[in-house]
Structures are given as C-alpha cells and as structure tokens.
Amino acid sequence: MIQPQKPHYRAILVEDELRTRHMLEEMIEQKVTVADVELIASCGSIREALPIFKSLRVRPDIVFLDINLPDGPVFDLLEAIKPVDFEIIFITAYDEYTRQACQYASIAYLNKPVSEEELNEAVQRAAEYRGRHIQERLSTMKQAATGSAGAVPERVVLSTQEEICFVDPDDIIRVEADGNYSRVVVKEGNAFRTVVLSQNIGKFEEMLPPVGFFKTHRAHIVNIAHVRRYLRNDSTLLMEDGGTVLVSRRRKNQLLDLLEGRVPH
C-alpha cells in the first residue's frame, strides 16, 4: 500500500539560547514525523533575523520564534517583516500567561525543554492553522500576552476545520464535552449557534477567562452571566439558549454560592 506523502514545510528558527537552538535544529530536521520540515535558516536575535527575512525570495511556511529575544520585543520583529503570511510556533520557558495567550489565539507554542511529542503536536497544529487569519490571531495573542497578569483578551479564537471565529468571551453561553471534541454554544445577536472544536473540554477550559465561567460537571462549563434558572429538584441549570446543564453533587454548593452572590465570580 502506498503511503501518503508528508506535507513539506520550509521553516526558520529564531532562538537566542545557543544550546536550545542547536537542540531544536536537530529535532526539527530529524524528529518531526508529521511533516517533512526543511530548516532553511537559524539565528538568535531580531538583528540577525531581519536580513534573513528580507533576502528570501520565497517566504517560509513556519517560523519557530522565541517569545523573549535579547534585542527587543518579538512583536517588533513581526511588525518589521510584515506581511506575516506564515504560521508561527512560539518558543517559551514555562510561562502561564504566554501559554494562555497562545491558547486564546489558536497559535501553537513549545515549552522549554522541548519534547519530541510536543514538537510534533505543535507542527501538526501549525499546519492545521496555516493561512487562516494569522494577523488577527497575532493581534489577539499580543493583547493577551502584553496585558496585565490574568487580563482577559477581547476575543477568544475558535478554530474549526471550516473557519476561524473570533468571539467575545461574554458571548460564550456554555461548553459541552463530546468525547475528544467540545461543543461551544455562542450568542450571535438574538440567535445562538454551536461551534464544534477538535479539542477536549479540558484544553478549551484553559482558553477561557478565569472569571465568569464555572465547570458544573466534568462534561460542562457555563458562563454564569447566561444562567437563567437553577432547578433544585434535578440539580440542573436552564441556560439562556434554552439548553439544560447538569450540576454535579460535588460542585453544587459552590455554584449556589456564586448564583446567590455570596462569593465573587
């Protein structure tokens, strides 16, 4: 049986830590199994990266980019090499806010030290996102990454096979687990629609603002502002879209405290 040919991507690596850069060069060329990645250039600063980008006749498909470069903010580099018509995989030492910002914006990222599995997952995700509103996603990511700790971005990015939706977190009614997928109910004007994401509810929970959302059950997350009624007899919530959501016994008292205003949410 003939195996399907792997997609081929041209890549650039910008990483200031020499040891990490050499390790990633080797991993990108030898350990990526989900695609054939050709590393066409590697450097360690904005000053070194600028002439590389300006000299290219054909732009890269993917850029592996350290979020903390020694000679300036990474967004200065992206501004200088516009248009950004390639996918980005950010590289970072473990940083909760950067990680959350990438998740908000549906941008792939790598945590140092990078594992082979994580590298392949990031390349796969970048491949899925390629060509899909990268400039808008970067704007969302920048707003989340450069805001104050725990700041909520103006929009959450919902990326599906068919489209990328930019949604105000306040318009998310609820999220329901569906195996390895998540069904997100969103308010659009006076109507509601469901967006199906190819990520489990645990992953999607990390994208949501820490304030205003509550996990009522392992399979359900609700926006407290869109709860219309709590039915005590069967311990369920009636949501603004007409859907009902089960509340687990373990989370019932905490939810009631939120609904009755005894603790902030």
Side-chain angles (χ1 to χ4, degrees), residues 134-200:
I134 180 61
Q135 203 64 62
E136 291 184 77
R137 287 188 284 126
L138 279 173
S139 177
T140 298
M141 190 266 181
K142 180 179 179 181
Q143 187 236 332
T146 59
S148 59
V152 178
E154 294 175 359
R155 297 181 298 177
V156 171
V157 181
L158 306 181
S159 180
T160 73
Q161 291 291 336
E162 295 77 27
E163 62 181 344
I164 292 181
C165 308
F166 297 89
V167 178
D168 186 325
D170 291 342
D171 291 333
I172 296 175
I173 306 294
R174 57 189 176 91
V175 186
E176 180 179 354
D178 186 4
N180 289 326
Y181 294 82
S182 297
R183 303 175 67 85
V184 185
V185 179
V186 178
K187 185 174 184 178
E188 294 185 341
N190 293 321
F192 304 93
R193 76 171 179 128
T194 300
V195 180
V196 180
L197 305 180
S198 57
Q199 58 188 159
N200 63 44

Side-chain angles (χ1 to χ4, degrees), residues 17-198:
E17 295 177 5
L18 189 59
R19 183 176 178 181
T20 300
R21 184 159 84 242
H22 288 165
M23 179 196 70
L24 282 172
E25 288 170 351
E26 182 177 343
M27 290 181 71
I28 290 168
E29 293 183 329
Q30 299 180 16
K31 301 298 184 181
V32 175
T33 59
V34 296
D36 175 21
V37 181
E38 176 191 0
L39 192 62
I40 60 174
S42 177
C43 62
S45 67
I46 293 175
R47 180 178 58 82
E48 294 173 352
L50 282 174
I52 291 174
F53 279 96
K54 291 179 179 179
S55 67
L56 291 175
R57 290 185 178 181
V58 180
R59 304 276 274 186
D61 301 298
I62 297 173
V63 173
F64 295 85
L65 186 56
D66 193 331
I67 196 73
N68 294 310
L69 293 173
D71 53 348
V74 69
F75 293 104
D76 286 358
L77 171 61
L78 294 173
E79 185 67 28
I81 60 176
K82 278 185 174 180
V84 178
D85 49 6
F86 45 81
E87 198 57 45
I88 295 170
I89 298 176
F90 282 111
I91 308 165
T92 178
Y94 189 80
D95 180 330
E96 179 67 21
Y97 301 119
T98 298
R99 182 179 67 85
Q100 190 176 54
C102 287
Q103 290 173 333
Y104 276 132
S106 288
I107 293 177
Y109 65 93
L110 295 168
N111 284 318
K112 301 176 188 177
V114 178
S115 70
E116 183 177 334
E117 180 182 6
E118 185 184 17
L119 175 61
N120 276 280
E121 288 177 355
V123 171
Q124 183 66 50
R125 176 165 290 191
E128 292 171 357
Y129 292 155
R130 275 188 71 228
R132 302 168 72 179
H133 303 280
I134 180 61
Q135 203 64 62
E136 291 184 77
R137 287 188 284 126
L138 279 173
S139 177
T140 298
M141 190 266 181
K142 180 179 179 181
Q143 187 236 332
T146 59
S148 59
V152 178
E154 294 175 359
R155 297 181 298 177
V156 171
V157 181
L158 306 181
S159 180
T160 73
Q161 291 291 336
E162 295 77 27
E163 62 181 344
I164 292 181
C165 308
F166 297 89
V167 178
D168 186 325
D170 291 342
D171 291 333
I172 296 175
I173 306 294
R174 57 189 176 91
V175 186
E176 180 179 354
D178 186 4
N180 289 326
Y181 294 82
S182 297
R183 303 175 67 85
V184 185
V185 179
V186 178
K187 185 174 184 178
E188 294 185 341
N190 293 321
F192 304 93
R193 76 171 179 128
T194 300
V195 180
V196 180
L197 305 180
S198 57

